[in-house]
Amino acid sequence: EISFLKAENLRLQGLLSGATSRCTELDTANQILHSQIANLQAENGKLHSALQTSMAKEAAAQNRVILQQSELVDDVQRRERIAALLRSKNSTDLSDLTRKQHSIISDQQQAIAQLTPLAPEAINLREQVKTLQ
């Protein structure tokens, strides 16, 4: 029975040695996994930071676009107001010019009406001047 126990003891020592070796392998694998997890967490932190930076740049770009659009809208509205004022002024100027033109035509017609009766007398005076020369 002692030899059986010795054999059993050797077998158990072999199993213990194998289990110890396997535990060492598992501890090493566990350490490698922890190291990889730490590396992944660090990389995740870098990616998160890069994402935040990218999002901030995108938001700034969107704000610039919104500001430019607002400035363009303001510029278009300002130009439309100027165009409306110019149209109004042009319309007023055209009305004034039309009134002045009618006034000039009326003055010319009155002058013609006043001078027409004098035409025979002017012709007669011209004839007299010719004969006197």
Side-chain angles (χ1 to χ4, degrees):
E1 183 158 322
I2 291 180
S3 53
F4 170 77
L5 290 175
K6 283 183 180 179
E8 185 63 17
N9 190 21
L10 284 175
R11 187 183 72 76
L12 290 175
Q13 284 179 350
L15 288 175
L16 178 61
S17 175
T20 302
S21 175
R22 183 68 182 140
C23 283
T24 302
E25 289 173 9
L26 290 174
D27 282 343
T28 302
N30 193 24
Q31 289 174 355
I32 291 170
L33 287 175
H34 279 295
S35 174
Q36 289 175 342
I37 288 171
N39 289 340
L40 288 173
Q41 286 174 335
E43 183 66 22
N44 189 32
K46 289 178 189 175
L47 290 173
H48 184 69
S49 176
L51 176 62
Q52 286 180 328
T53 301
S54 176
M55 288 171 60
K57 287 180 181 178
E58 181 181 350
Q62 286 176 346
N63 287 340
R64 283 192 302 273
V65 167
I66 289 169
L67 179 62
Q68 289 172 347
Q69 287 174 339
S70 176
E71 288 171 352
L72 286 174
V73 167
D74 290 347
D75 188 50
V76 166
Q77 289 174 344
R78 182 180 54 82
R79 288 174 189 249
E80 286 174 350
R81 286 192 303 273
I82 290 170
L85 288 172
L86 288 174
R87 280 192 300 275
S88 174
K89 182 174 179 356
N90 287 344
S91 176
T92 301
D93 289 350
L94 182 60
S95 295
D96 290 346
L97 288 174
T98 302
R99 272 195 303 280
K100 287 178 184 177
Q101 183 182 25
H102 288 303
S103 175
I104 290 170
I105 290 171
S106 176
D107 290 349
Q108 287 174 341
Q109 288 173 342
Q110 286 176 1
I112 289 170
Q114 290 172 355
L115 293 175
T116 300
L118 299 176
E121 187 178 330
I123 292 171
N124 191 14
L125 286 174
R126 188 176 349 160
E127 292 295 326
Q128 290 175 6
V129 168
K130 281 184 185 178
T131 55
L132 290 175
Q133 291 174 348

